[in-house]
Amino acid sequence: MTSLNFVICLFITVFIYFIFIYSFQNFLSSNGFVHRDLAARNVLLGENKVVKISDFGLMRQTHENVYHLKKGKKIPVKWMAPEALYNSEYTTKSDV
């Protein structure tokens, strides 16, 4: 396999993983939930290259697609979306 073929194969594989993660996120948001910690460290690769999402400890149910964070809660500031930091609200868009 040439290096160009390897790069193309790798790109296609990563794109397929992206589609799985997107489908999961779409499923969550359509059911009124926000994950709040969707990061590469929480994406697992199972048998037969099945993508699995983990760490649902920060997941919350939204009200009209928005979850408002209560003051005084500890949060992972390093990985938060700017709008979640400034407005203390999470949306399905801040999960991206």
Side-chain angles (χ1 to χ4, degrees):
M1 180 182 293
T2 66
S3 63
L4 179 60
N5 286 344
F6 177 76
V7 170
I8 291 171
C9 184
L10 184 63
F11 177 79
I12 291 170
T13 303
V14 170
F15 186 74
I16 291 170
Y17 294 158
F18 168 76
I19 296 298
F20 283 133
I21 296 166
Y22 168 79
S23 299
F24 166 77
Q25 183 61 25
N26 192 36
F27 173 79
L28 275 184
S29 65
S30 67
N31 286 295
F33 290 95
V34 61
H35 189 275
R36 298 196 317 155
D37 197 16
L38 193 58
R41 68 183 176 278
N42 294 329
V43 177
L44 309 174
L45 197 56
E47 290 183 29
N48 300 321
K49 297 184 181 179
V50 175
V51 176
K52 298 178 181 186
I53 307 297
S54 66
D55 196 0
F56 292 92
L58 294 176
M59 188 172 81
R60 298 292 184 267
Q61 190 168 13
T62 60
H63 177 67
E64 296 182 11
N65 293 327
V66 177
Y67 171 75
H68 293 280
L69 183 66
K70 296 175 183 162
K71 298 292 182 189
K73 296 270 184 171
K74 291 187 177 184
I75 49 176
V77 175
K78 223 177 194 181
W79 297 280
M80 286 181 59
E83 65 271 15
L85 279 173
Y86 299 131
N87 304 331
S88 295
E89 67 180 31
Y90 288 87
T91 65
T92 54
K93 294 179 182 177
S94 63
D95 253 357
V96 177

